[in-house]
């Protein structure tokens, strides 16, 4: 066996071993997360809210059916969350509002993760001039008050859920890029990446097969925090009347509508506000648990 073949065989064995170690570590991380009571609570809350929102059509009421004679009824057996100022069943509207709030959070998070992961891996992998240019661009982008920019863009564009998702996603990828870049800088110095480079593998193959899969734990942490921020941003926009427009509803728009009835029907603000709190708290708990699991 020649020296080159020996080194190649040794490196291939190392790559396989590194893959086994990474799988074992990932399995241990998930066991740690599932053993945490806070994580179980957060996952349970998110699953219950998501399933309930998806099954909102099973309620006996139409979310947009007006009934003026039944307006502002307090919570009861027939209307669990009461009725709003137009006599619509509030429980039904809360469930449909959850669909939009959670969907906006998840879909805008996916956009932010995709853009941030690509930017972070390319910047960290190539380094040099490319890294400096991308990081300076990112610094400039982060110096702009994103919420006010989001308000301006949303005011000029046609109101719609799709526009809200895209705008929030494209204005929240910077933190993801920084996290992924830091992971990429660490991973590109590892032996299995260096072996892939010496074997003639292209940069896209290295990024997609070696760097991104090994950066997934950090990406998951960023995603959990990002989706919570996206839901809060959508709620703030809708609260200001710049988000979801009628006849659609979200938890933020329901809070906006509840402002005029705080004295007579406090429950109009309590229910959507409590669900926003529980959802964001659950995602933040998951992010914290993931962070601790990675630090082990």
């Amino acid at each position: 066996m020649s020296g080159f073949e020996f080194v190649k065989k040794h490196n291939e064995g190392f790559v396989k071993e590194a893959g086994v170690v990474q799988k074992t570590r990932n399995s241990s991380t998930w066991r740690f997360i599932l053993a945490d009571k806070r994580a179980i609570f957060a996952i349970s809350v998110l699953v219950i809210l998501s399933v309930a929102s998806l099954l909102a059509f099973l309620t006996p009421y139409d979310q947009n059916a007006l009934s003026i004679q039944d307006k502002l009824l307090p919570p009861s057996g027939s209307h669990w969350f009461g009725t709003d100022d137009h006599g619509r069943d509030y429980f039904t509207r809360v469930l449909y509002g959850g669909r939009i709030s959670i969907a906006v959070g998840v879909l805008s998070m996916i956009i932010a993760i995709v853009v941030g992961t690509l930017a972070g891996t390319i910047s960290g992998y190539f380094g040099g001039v490319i890294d400096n240019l991308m990081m300076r661009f990112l610094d400039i982008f982060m110096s702009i008050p994103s919420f006010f920019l989001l308000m301006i863009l949303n005011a000029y564009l046609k109101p719609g859920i799709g526009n809200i998702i895209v705008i929030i996603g494209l204005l929240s990828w910077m933190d993801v890029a920084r996290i992924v870049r830091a992971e990429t800088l660490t991973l590109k110095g590892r032996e299995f990446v260096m072996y892939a480079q010496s074997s003639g593998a292209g940069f896209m193959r290295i990024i997609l097969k070696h760097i991104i899969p090994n950066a997934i734990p950090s990406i998951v942490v960023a995603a959990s925090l990002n989706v919570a921020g996206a839901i809060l941003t959508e709620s703030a926009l809708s609260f200001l009347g710049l988000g979801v427009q009628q006849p659609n509803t979200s938890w933020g728009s329901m809070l906006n509508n509840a402002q005029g009835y705080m004295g007579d029907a406090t429950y109009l603000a309590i229910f959507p506000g409590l669900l926003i709190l529980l959802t964001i708290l659950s995602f933040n708990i998951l992010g914290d648990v993931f962070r601790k699991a990675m630090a082990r």
Side-chain angles (χ1 to χ4, degrees), residues 249-283:
T249 187
S250 71
W251 292 334
S253 64
M254 296 178 81
L255 283 177
N256 179 42
N257 185 64
Q259 290 182 88
Y261 303 95
M262 291 298 293
D264 301 323
T266 311
Y267 63 87
L268 293 179
I270 290 176
F271 291 120
L274 182 61
L275 291 178
I276 291 173
L277 173 64
L278 282 174
T279 303
I280 294 174
L281 177 63
S282 297
F283 278 115

Side-chain angles (χ1 to χ4, degrees), residues 145-167:
S146 59
F147 187 77
F148 293 105
L149 180 60
L150 194 152
M151 290 175 61
I152 294 170
L153 290 174
N154 195 55
Y156 277 97
L157 294 175
K158 182 180 179 181
I161 299 173
N163 285 337
I164 293 174
I165 292 171
V166 173
I167 292 172

Side-chain angles (χ1 to χ4, degrees), residues 31-257:
R31 284 198 298 270
F32 176 85
I33 291 169
L34 294 176
D36 192 303
K37 293 181 179 179
R38 296 181 306 150
I40 297 300
F41 166 77
I43 292 171
S44 300
V45 168
L46 294 175
V47 168
I48 291 172
L49 289 178
S50 299
V51 172
S53 297
L54 289 173
L55 299 179
F57 62 89
L58 295 179
T59 63
Y61 300 98
D62 184 339
Q63 67 159 331
N64 294 317
L66 305 180
S67 180
I68 301 302
Q69 67 271 19
D70 295 326
K71 70 176 185 177
L72 298 179
L73 293 178
S76 63
S78 56
H79 298 285
W80 292 356
F81 287 4
T83 60
D84 65 6
D85 54 320
H86 294 293
R88 297 170 294 192
D89 182 67
Y90 211 53
F91 177 71
T92 301
R93 289 186 64 76
V94 163
L95 293 183
Y96 277 101
R99 280 187 180 185
I100 292 180
S101 292
I102 295 174
V104 168
V106 172
L107 294 177
S108 61
M109 174 270 292
I110 291 174
I111 294 174
I113 290 297
V114 170
V115 175
T117 299
L118 290 176
T121 51
I122 291 173
S123 178
Y125 182 79
F126 288 104
V129 176
I130 293 177
D131 184 34
N132 286 329
L133 287 175
M134 293 187 72
M135 287 301 101
R136 298 298 76 75
F137 172 75
L138 192 147
D139 289 338
I140 294 171
F141 212 80
M142 291 187 71
S143 67
I144 303 173
S146 59
F147 187 77
F148 293 105
L149 180 60
L150 194 152
M151 290 175 61
I152 294 170
L153 290 174
N154 195 55
Y156 277 97
L157 294 175
K158 182 180 179 181
I161 299 173
N163 285 337
I164 293 174
I165 292 171
V166 173
I167 292 172
I168 293 177
L170 293 180
L171 291 178
S172 55
W173 59 271
M174 292 82 74
D175 289 332
V176 179
R178 284 190 178 278
I179 292 171
V180 175
R181 172 182 175 271
E183 283 292 310
T184 303
L185 289 173
T186 301
L187 290 169
K188 77 174 185 177
R190 300 282 294 275
E191 287 83 351
F192 58 90
V193 174
M194 294 172 66
Y195 169 70
Q197 291 172 334
S198 65
S199 299
F203 75 92
M204 284 302 297
R205 178 179 175 81
I206 294 173
I207 287 174
L208 295 176
K209 187 176 180 180
H210 297 291
I211 292 180
I212 292 179
N214 285 284
I216 283 178
S218 297
I219 295 173
V220 170
V221 173
S224 64
L225 299 176
N226 192 280
V227 70
I231 291 174
L232 189 61
T233 300
E234 181 279 322
S235 299
L237 278 176
S238 296
F239 179 76
L240 295 173
L242 297 173
V244 176
Q245 304 295 317
Q246 295 291 340
N248 295 315
T249 187
S250 71
W251 292 334
S253 64
M254 296 178 81
L255 283 177
N256 179 42
N257 185 64

Side-chain angles (χ1 to χ4, degrees), residues 19-35 213 216-217 290 293-294 296:
V20 172
V21 170
Q22 185 63 36
K23 289 180 181 178
T24 303
R25 181 185 176 188
N26 290 341
S27 177
S28 174
T29 299
W30 282 109
R31 284 198 298 270
F32 176 85
I33 291 169
L34 294 176
I216 283 178
F290 271 113
M294 289 173 53
R296 289 169 63 246

